[in-house]
Amino acid sequence: MQVPFVDLSAQYQSIKSEIDDAIKSVISDTAFIGGKHVKNFEDQFASLYGVKHVISCANGTDSLYIIMKMLGIGKGDEVITAANSWISSSETISQTGATPVFVDVHPEYYSLDEDKLEGIINSSTKALIAVHLQGQVCELDKIKAICDKHGIYLIEDCAQSHFSEYKGKRAGLFGIAASFSFYPGKNLGAYGDAGCIITDNDELAKKCIMYARHGALKKHHHEMEGINSRLDGLQAAILSAKLPHILNWTNKRIENARTYDNCLKQINEIVIPTRREKTKHTYHLYVIRASKRDQLIEYLNLQGVETAIHYPKALPNLQAYNYLGYKPSDFPVASRHQEELVSLPMYPELTKYMIGYVANSINDFYSKYA
Ligand SMILES: *Cc1c(COP(=O)(O)O)cnc(C)c1O
């Protein structure tokens, strides 16, 4: 049996006619850049999130960068981000001219450890990026209180946490602005690169729109220099076609995670994911900690089960950050996790049978090699 890590084709097949119609209408309208499909998606996403402004952009890296740049963050400033994440969560800080400062992750919840924040905030700290890793939201009440106390901006990186919730409220609605990625493999994925910013702040929204559109709100009226970061019509129409299904797909992920939990909880050599209390974890990734991880991955691969590591190196341990002079022991949890974490296949269309097969394969591995 083959169990792929993700299966974007299964999702396409389930809504093929809706996607095909959406693509055809963009082409027949020749609304390739801007236009009604982009506007429709922005409006629909705004109403789903109950937020005033959705600013679509080219990807979920640009959206983070644009937020920080338009908050005036730059040279001499520091921005705190999680020690384990995709590099967008830190490279965008550097892109503004500011310095990324990493905070270790929580040993059980994997997203950033709020108890380690106070020690690294100083007078240069301008913002904190709460990365809701894997679909697991950060401890937002505490984080928000810390940000308010020190007068620093809270920015949420929701690239892995579409429709996750903290105490009944969606992640993305807690800070000054939030960044979303619609990379194809994300919980809400386009058929190419795409992303957006959400915010209730009118002034920031206006600046972000302007900056992402060459510094002009009206064609040829460039109030400043900006960048070109646009969502294209095809991607917008595809995203709109997916929106009516997204909450159902999110629930399927959660159900799949429960099935995994039940099948895996008796295996002593692994630790299944734990959820923060009063949160909705949306399982962009279903991540376990495994002893003999690399051998397990190899064994699963031979059984036809595809896995992935998120991430093989914690951000501060990457060559790109050698210049900051960190040691792995500065981030003991993230550095340990890079040796232990493995992400199992996870997507809405995954069947109980496939999950059972993955679980049995893991069981077999440890009964043979433990
Ligand atoms: C995917 C991702 C991004 C960036 O998204 P792109 O659309 O690929 O640019 C940012 N942060 C995190 C945590 C991500 O997983």
Side-chain angles (χ1 to χ4, degrees):
M1 175 165 201
Q2 294 295 315
V3 186
F5 184 67
V6 285
D7 187 350
L8 299 180
S9 170
Q11 189 174 82
Y12 171 59
Q13 291 307 327
S14 75
I15 54 164
K16 186 175 184 311
S17 64
E18 293 152 65
I19 295 277
D20 292 354
D21 289 350
I23 291 173
K24 275 183 206 147
S25 72
V26 175
I27 296 172
S28 70
D29 296 339
T30 62
F32 299 122
I33 298 286
K36 71 175 184 195
H37 300 279
V38 173
K39 174 90 171 61
N40 276 349
F41 173 70
E42 289 179 338
D43 290 348
Q44 289 162 348
F45 201 69
S47 87
L48 254 180
Y49 264 85
V51 73
K52 274 168 91 177
H53 306 281
V54 170
I55 300 117
S56 59
C57 43
N59 55 66
T61 306
D62 279 2
S63 45
L64 268 178
Y65 165 68
I66 294 166
I67 293 168
M68 284 187 274
K69 184 83 181 163
M70 290 302 100
L71 286 172
I73 290 165
K75 205 166 165 15
D77 297 335
E78 293 184 0
V79 177
I80 298 171
T81 192
N84 188 23
S85 184
W86 175 242
I87 194 167
S88 302
S89 307
S90 51
E91 71 184 350
T92 49
I93 299 169
S94 309
Q95 281 161 16
T96 68
T99 304
V101 173
F102 298 99
V103 61
D104 208 357
V105 290
H106 193 282
E108 294 303 323
Y109 301 135
Y110 307 145
S111 46
L112 69 83
D113 190 342
E114 65 283 355
D115 291 331
K116 293 185 177 160
L117 285 172
E118 289 278 7
I120 54 176
I121 295 174
N122 62 49
S123 59
S124 301
T125 311
K126 288 291 166 343
L128 171 107
I129 302 178
V131 186
H132 306 306
L133 200 69
Q134 307 165 0
Q136 170 101 277
V137 289
C138 301
E139 193 53 63
L140 281 162
D141 275 353
K142 273 196 191 168
I143 288 177
K144 206 169 156 41
I146 293 169
C147 287
D148 289 347
K149 178 179 152 199
H150 295 275
I152 63 181
Y153 294 120
L154 170 60
I155 299 163
E156 293 173 85
D157 184 348
C158 296
Q160 301 190 4
S161 61
H162 311 71
F163 304 97
S164 293
E165 291 175 12
Y166 180 85
K167 296 189 176 168
K169 179 170 156 182
R170 291 209 173 114
L173 301 174
F174 288 79
I176 179 110
S179 164
F180 285 82
S181 167
F182 305 120
Y183 177 82
K186 298 288 161 81
N187 284 20
L188 176 60
Y191 286 1
D193 277 313
C196 81
I197 295 162
I198 69 171
T199 182
D200 275 327
N201 186 303
D202 298 336
E203 195 194 328
L204 178 64
K206 192 176 158 195
K207 285 185 184 166
C208 290
I209 295 169
M210 197 190 284
Y211 189 68
R213 317 282 184 257
H214 296 291
L217 288 177
K218 231 169 88 189
K219 202 166 191 181
H220 301 307
H221 290 257
H222 303 278
E223 296 177 39
M224 60 181 182
E225 286 184 335
I227 61 171
N228 176 7
S229 186
R230 296 183 290 226
L231 176 68
D232 67 66
L234 283 169
Q235 302 310 335
I238 289 162
L239 289 167
S240 288
K242 286 187 169 196
L243 273 187
H245 305 280
I246 188 63
L247 296 177
N248 180 31
W249 288 333
T250 303
N251 287 335
K252 289 251 169 66
R253 285 178 181 273
I254 295 169
E255 275 173 36
N256 289 343
R258 297 291 168 272
T259 308
Y260 265 128
D261 288 349
N262 288 328
C263 297
L264 296 173
K265 65 184 176 212
Q266 306 87 333
I267 305 177
N268 294 323
E269 290 86 353
I270 65 171
V271 181
I272 62 172
T274 13
R275 256 170 309 142
R276 286 186 194 275
E277 246 177 80
K278 304 198 179 90
T279 65
K280 184 180 197 172
H281 187 323
T282 52
Y283 299 96
H284 170 56
L285 299 168
Y286 186 90
V287 179
I288 61 170
R289 297 207 302 281
S291 66
K292 300 199 165 91
R293 183 204 48 193
D294 294 345
Q295 292 106 295
L296 172 67
I297 289 173
E298 216 172 292
Y299 181 83
L300 290 176
N301 196 31
L302 289 172
Q303 305 308 308
V305 176
E306 218 182 331
T307 58
I309 301 175
H310 298 91
Y311 293 91
K313 271 194 181 196
L315 291 173
N317 298 339
L318 291 169
Q319 188 185 340
Y321 296 110
N322 280 354
Y323 77 98
L324 291 172
Y326 289 120
K327 301 181 299 299
S329 57
D330 295 332
F331 305 95
V333 181
S335 298
R336 193 169 73 233
H337 282 173
Q338 72 186 28
E339 314 296 333
E340 295 178 340
L341 299 184
V342 52
S343 308
L344 303 180
M346 172 53 86
Y347 47 93
E349 297 78 14
L350 196 65
T351 64
K352 286 208 160 47
Y353 185 75
M354 292 161 113
I355 294 171
Y357 179 77
V358 175
N360 285 338
S361 304
I362 295 173
N363 225 341
D364 289 348
F365 170 76
Y366 289 112
S367 50
K368 283 183 189 157
Y369 303 107

